[in-house]
Amino acid sequence: MRIVVANVAAADEDTEVGRIFKTVAVPLFRKSFGLTQSRDTELVFRFPRRGLSNLEAQPYGFLHSLSDCETLYMVMQAEREGYDGAIIACFHDPTLWSARQAVDIPVVAFGESSLFLAAMMGLKFGLFCPSPLGVPEYEDKIARYGLKDRCAGVAAGYLSAADQERAMFDARPVIDEFVSVGRQLIARGAEVLVPGCGLI
């Protein structure tokens, strides 16, 4: 079985971001996926040519639009090349529904998969959002997936884009923030905690 992992970070080979993602992020993803991946499954990582090159670019809608087009193209190209499925490697689930309309192969994404798994693991889950700016979008996502009654709340940490990217090298500060915010969510009734970011 061959699966395309469609990343959302624009990462040209010759840029610092490209080198970091391909030498650090991809091995981390492979290690995580390897915990449940069957031996006959091949993961092929692809990156967009344009769009969001780092987390500092998150506020810019036009860069999201470029990344979304590239992500959708990667999924459609995967089907044309005979891949068995695609994973959109972002908690925001960009173009997930559009991709499912466009192709016949299965397409999953980090956000939807994580939230539904959390709902199976406990009566209530809590969602950790790296920044307060993302809370409204995450609350909308939970409602859109029909999981509002299963959510104990969305709580934010105060992690800058640089903090999140540095976590690929040293995760201790992010883990500390996650534990602190997680305690708040547990106090609100969460039995399962979901880190709301693919990198985290």
Side-chain angles (χ1 to χ4, degrees), residues 68-69 71-73 75-76 88 93-105 107:
D68 289 354
C69 289
T71 302
L72 182 57
Y73 175 79
V75 172
M76 294 170 68
I88 298 174
D93 299 347
T95 73
L96 175 60
W97 293 99
S98 299
R100 286 176 175 165
Q101 290 175 338
V103 299
D104 292 325
I105 59 174
V107 183

Side-chain angles (χ1 to χ4, degrees), residues 8-130:
V8 298
D12 289 335
E13 295 278 357
D14 296 331
T15 65
E16 181 182 358
V17 172
R19 287 190 292 274
I20 289 173
F21 268 88
K22 290 175 180 164
T23 61
V24 180
V26 168
L28 288 173
F29 280 145
R30 284 193 187 283
K31 184 177 179 182
S32 295
F33 294 158
L35 297 172
T36 57
Q37 176 184 335
S38 63
R39 288 183 183 162
D40 65 342
T41 299
E42 177 190 359
L43 297 177
V44 176
F45 289 78
R46 295 206 172 144
F47 293 84
R49 296 165 295 165
R50 307 180 280 273
L52 299 166
S53 60
N54 58 49
L55 292 172
E56 298 285 354
Q58 284 289 346
Y60 300 101
F62 76 96
L63 292 174
H64 281 274
S65 297
L66 290 173
S67 286
D68 289 354
C69 289
E70 294 272 326
T71 302
L72 182 57
Y73 175 79
M74 284 187 280
V75 172
M76 294 170 68
Q77 185 67 21
E79 182 182 51
R80 285 193 290 272
E81 293 175 4
Y83 282 83
D84 299 294
I87 299 169
I88 298 174
C90 178
F91 196 86
H92 292 278
D93 299 347
T95 73
L96 175 60
W97 293 99
S98 299
R100 286 176 175 165
Q101 290 175 338
V103 299
D104 292 325
I105 59 174
V107 183
V108 297
F110 285 1
E112 183 189 55
S113 300
S114 300
L115 294 173
F116 277 103
L117 180 61
M120 290 191 298
M121 294 174 68
L123 185 61
K124 294 272 188 179
F125 64 85
L127 178 56
F128 169 83
C129 183

Side-chain angles (χ1 to χ4, degrees), residues 131-182:
S131 163
L133 298 174
V135 171
E137 180 185 343
Y138 282 15
E139 289 174 339
D140 287 347
K141 179 189 299 295
I142 289 164
R144 192 166 59 248
Y145 291 159
L147 295 170
K148 192 172 180 180
D149 292 340
R150 302 293 300 280
C151 182
V154 179
Y158 291 91
L159 298 171
S160 69
D163 291 334
Q164 294 174 62
E165 290 171 358
R166 274 194 297 269
M168 289 190 287
F169 302 98
D170 180 5
R172 288 172 295 186
V174 173
I175 292 169
D176 291 342
E177 188 81 357
F178 181 78
V179 168
S180 175
V181 173

